[in-house]
Amino acid sequence: MANDFILVLDFGGQQAQSMARKLRGQNYYCEVHPGDISPETVSRKAPRGLLLAGGSDGRPLNAELLRLGLPVLAMGACARAMAAALGAVSEGSLLTGRASQINFLPCPLFDGLGASDRFFDRVDALRLPEGFEPIATTTDGVVPAFANLPANLYGLQFYPESNDPDGAQILANFAGRICGCSAYWSSEFYIDREIEYLRERIGNGRAIMAISGGVDSTVCAVLMHRAIGERLKCVFVDTGLLRKGEAETVAHVFREHLGLSPSVIDARERVLAALRGLTDAREKRRAVERVFSQVMRAEASAEPGAEFLVSGTNYADLLSGDGERIHDDGGLKRIEPIRMLFKDEVRAIGDALGVPKDLLNRQPFPGPGLAVRCVGEVTEEKLALLRDADAIFRSEIVEAGLDRKLTHYFVILTDIQTLGRRDGRTVSGYACALRAVNAPDAANVSIAKLPYDLIERVVQRITSQIPGINHVLYDVTGKPVAMAEWA
């Protein structure tokens, strides 16, 4: 199965990762690489086909990629770029930001599909290159899809929408019928293959890894333990930057529910000392990471025979560059068991491994913890305020039954001092901000429209129960400006 996969070329934006996730959801393995990959590299990797996604109109496409003899599916702006690279001429946009009925003409890409309504961001009128023909039309007479069938070159000026069964079928048809890929990708396949690889790579050696209680590190630890058993040492570093009650909960869950006994290291004083005087979020992040790395190197040195350092880097981290950041590995060999998995796949692997669903459904938490949710200098006093406010907000979200509908819900303590009234006196306190979003990945952030009575209840509890906070804000900033976290 070495070359039984699709290469997804990313020309910018979130579409490439989205299409890759949909392909894998149809059990076809694919990998994402930059759109400027050389034809020589593509030939060396020897995929069964290419899927081109993302980008904006006018971004050039290397026509040599189209002459490798591989089936190509170009989507959105990439369809227009492919046509232009082969000599097509655009005569302007015919559809922009509206729905129209689409009729699929006989073509293996559309096997099993019938006419349906579809939303189109943009469809151009194209004078197609020689050898190309329409493979779909709308009731308006517009051509949103075209192909050179003998050359297996397909262009769609649209993307599958969310929860779009026709779109999923198009991707499956491309991978299976046109490219000849096998639908072998599954949680069970990955677990079996990765365990075999880990046992071969580590041999009789020992490995050490940090756990945080988050989805990635938890699934990674369970997978590693399945592979090498007691030769894995788990370390929980209590940085003092976790949510209320979390340090105790993580250690308990790993011991009682997962059969792992992590070493718990109290690094709270060291972390606070490293953060003293720092206000820039990036500097705070680096300071926490330095202390974390020092602790892990010391633990590795104290563990006889430890040769490998396990990291919970996932595929989104790798593609964004976050996985290449941070740590001095102290001479240990790095192992990344979930490096090629998207977050939803990590959860699926965890479910197949028997990880409790409460752990798999935990919301994401930044590596530096509350240090980046505490604006300005981090102090023990501010952390205590933030923990209490965050606990109130999270408990109200759970009580309202919204915890499974949101990917992120948390509190940020601003560095703004405001005046308020308490016990008949004018007092100074902090303003905090509530944040509740759905962010399946870094490129998609949609604001949760929380019920006003819920927000009102959270505000009343925070301002009455936490004397150091006297103003509560609700952050409603979404894409394209804001990310899920503030920093």
Side-chain angles (χ1 to χ4, degrees):
M1 295 182 181
N3 68 335
D4 195 354
F5 73 103
I6 302 296
L7 203 59
V8 180
L9 301 190
D10 182 359
F11 287 83
Q14 75 271 21
Q15 293 96 338
Q17 287 195 38
S18 177
M19 293 304 100
R21 291 165 70 182
K22 287 180 182 294
L23 257 179
R24 290 190 181 185
Q26 296 298 305
N27 303 114
Y28 293 101
Y29 181 61
C30 61
E31 295 179 5
V32 181
H33 287 265
D36 59 2
I37 190 172
S38 70
E40 293 76 19
T41 302
V42 172
S43 295
R44 188 166 60 251
K45 288 185 171 294
R48 293 278 177 89
L50 301 178
L51 192 157
L52 317 183
S56 58
D57 291 286
R59 186 169 180 175
L61 170 68
N62 186 345
E64 292 303 314
L65 292 171
L66 310 174
R67 300 189 180 103
L68 295 174
L70 295 170
V72 175
L73 173 59
M75 308 186 79
C78 285
R80 294 182 282 276
M82 179 178 74
L86 296 173
V89 176
S90 174
E91 298 178 335
S93 296
L94 294 178
L95 281 179
T96 305
R98 69 181 177 88
S100 183
Q101 187 177 37
I102 186 170
N103 299 298
F104 299 112
L105 303 180
C107 169
L109 193 63
F110 303 136
D111 280 356
L113 302 185
S116 64
D117 286 338
R118 182 167 294 278
F119 181 83
F120 297 99
D121 280 326
R122 172 180 171 179
V123 177
D124 280 9
L126 298 172
R127 275 191 281 144
L128 295 172
E130 183 179 350
F132 280 80
E133 61 185 281
I135 55 173
T137 60
T138 71
T139 52
D140 311 280
V142 176
V143 177
F146 49 87
N148 182 328
L149 296 174
N152 272 332
L153 300 178
Y154 300 84
L156 307 184
Q157 296 190 66
F158 59 88
Y159 287 99
E161 298 163 29
S162 299
N163 302 315
D164 176 2
D166 283 354
Q169 185 63 52
I170 290 171
L171 294 176
N173 285 343
F174 176 70
R177 293 176 181 271
I178 295 171
C179 298
C181 290
S182 303
Y184 64 85
W185 186 250
S186 67
S187 297
E188 292 73 17
F189 171 84
Y190 189 86
I191 290 169
D192 291 344
R193 188 187 68 168
E194 191 64 19
I195 286 177
E196 181 181 356
Y197 165 77
L198 290 170
R199 287 172 176 167
E200 181 180 341
R201 173 84 193 278
I202 296 172
N204 294 320
R206 301 183 66 83
I208 184 170
M209 74 168 292
I211 59 165
S212 65
V215 175
D216 291 338
S217 70
T218 300
V219 173
C220 206
V222 173
L223 183 59
M224 285 294 303
H225 189 257
R226 183 77 62 90
I228 65 171
E230 300 306 316
R231 289 181 289 119
L232 170 70
K233 177 181 180 180
C234 293
V235 179
F236 174 62
V237 182
D238 183 358
T239 61
L241 301 173
L242 298 176
R243 290 167 286 207
K244 191 169 186 175
E246 199 160 44
E248 298 79 11
T249 299
V250 170
H252 173 77
V253 166
F254 267 76
R255 289 193 181 101
E256 302 301 321
H257 296 281
L258 299 178
L260 299 169
S261 298
S263 298
V264 180
I265 308 299
D266 186 349
R268 290 175 293 179
E269 290 186 6
R270 292 173 60 182
V271 169
L272 271 180
L275 289 169
R276 193 169 295 128
L278 300 182
T279 58
D280 180 81
R282 288 168 296 184
E283 291 181 1
K284 290 192 287 186
R285 187 180 290 271
R286 285 192 288 266
V288 174
E289 289 165 351
R290 277 196 301 272
V291 174
F292 189 89
S293 293
Q294 291 165 4
V295 170
M296 289 304 296
R297 287 201 303 273
E299 287 300 301
S301 298
E303 181 69 11
E307 302 174 48
F308 298 90
L309 177 67
V310 183
S311 168
T313 302
N314 66 35
Y315 202 28
D317 296 331
L318 180 65
L319 294 173
S320 68
D322 287 348
E324 305 304 321
R325 198 184 52 193
I326 326 175
H327 309 137
D328 170 7
D329 291 345
L332 298 176
K333 303 166 190 171
R334 181 171 282 224
I335 295 276
E336 296 172 312
I338 59 171
R339 180 184 178 91
M340 298 305 293
L341 299 176
F342 289 109
K343 191 71 149 189
D344 53 337
E345 294 176 308
V346 176
R347 288 192 169 94
I349 295 292
D351 188 50
L353 288 169
V355 176
K357 292 192 184 300
D358 285 348
L359 286 178
L360 296 177
N361 291 324
R362 284 168 59 91
Q363 59 171 312
F365 192 60
L370 298 181
V372 293
R373 293 182 180 173
C374 183
V375 180
E377 183 177 6
V378 178
T379 66
E380 190 57 66
E381 174 200 6
K382 291 170 71 175
L383 287 173
L385 295 176
L386 177 54
R387 280 194 199 93
D388 287 343
D390 185 70
I392 288 172
F393 184 39
R394 288 189 294 117
S395 70
E396 290 291 344
I397 291 287
V398 172
E399 183 68 23
L402 297 175
D403 52 313
R404 296 297 173 86
K405 299 179 181 179
L406 303 170
T407 58
H408 300 65
Y409 48 97
F410 57 90
V411 171
I412 303 104
L413 187 72
T414 77
D415 208 25
I416 302 170
Q417 289 276 340
T418 63
L419 293 178
R421 298 284 293 174
R422 196 177 294 276
D423 299 327
R425 297 183 298 111
T426 301
V427 295
S428 177
Y430 286 99
C432 73
L434 312 179
R435 184 85 165 136
V437 302
N438 276 311
D441 51 57
N444 294 282
V445 178
S446 60
I447 298 303
K449 296 178 180 178
L450 297 181
Y452 189 78
D453 61 338
L454 169 61
I455 296 176
E456 194 173 45
R457 195 160 56 247
V458 172
V459 172
Q460 193 279 328
R461 285 189 61 191
I462 289 177
T463 54
S464 65
Q465 296 176 24
I466 307 175
I469 296 176
N470 54 22
H471 279 79
V472 180
L473 318 173
Y474 184 40
D475 178 10
V476 295
T477 315
K479 67 176 185 179
V481 176
M483 298 182 291
E485 296 281 348
W486 275 25

